[in-house]
Amino acid sequence: MPEGRGSRIGDSAGHRPGGFARNPPQKPDRLRAAADLLDQAAAADDKAAGRFAEARVDSTPFGISPQARELAARWATALAAREADARVLGDATSDLAGRLRMAAVSTRSTGFRGRLAVAP
């Protein structure tokens, strides 16, 4: 191999075929970092659910006509559905974060190399 191409394993730059130089990220650390990101997403979902609930409570009627009341009722129903969706998504995201944290602990102590099963 010609010099300077860096294609040999263990070359002077310390590159490895996986793309990491010298210190590849550890799986438990990556799992914990992913769990932290999922926790942030779950918090955002909870915040969104709160905003949907606020909007539903704070909504003012669009008028006194039957069409306006029907529109207001549909709007309140749509907001309630979005609130429920956001809460379900937040709970599922939080559960997944917990599973990742448990996997991070189990990979450290047992050398676990399997895959996480995720419920639909």
Side-chain angles (χ1 to χ4, degrees):
M1 234 344 106
E3 276 299 314
R5 297 198 82 149
S7 59
R8 294 185 309 243
I9 294 176
D11 66 356
S12 61
H15 292 99
R16 296 171 54 185
F20 298 109
R22 298 194 195 266
N23 297 321
Q26 299 298 313
K27 262 193 186 180
D29 295 336
R30 290 176 61 196
L31 291 173
R32 277 191 295 280
D36 290 343
L37 291 173
L38 286 172
D39 282 337
Q40 291 173 11
D45 292 334
D46 289 342
K47 187 175 181 178
R51 286 188 177 168
F52 286 127
E54 251 178 50
R56 192 166 38 101
V57 171
D58 293 342
S59 292
T60 57
F62 296 178
I64 59 171
S65 70
Q67 294 89 354
R69 282 182 284 184
E70 181 182 342
L71 181 61
R74 286 183 181 192
W75 180 249
T77 301
L79 287 171
R82 296 301 72 79
E83 176 190 356
D85 290 345
R87 292 202 188 282
V88 167
L89 181 60
D91 290 345
T93 304
S94 184
D95 289 346
L96 183 57
R99 289 181 182 189
L100 285 176
R101 282 199 173 75
M102 287 189 305
V105 170
S106 71
T107 58
R108 177 177 289 167
S109 61
T110 64
F112 173 76
R113 301 226 188 274
R115 298 179 65 135
L116 286 176
V118 178

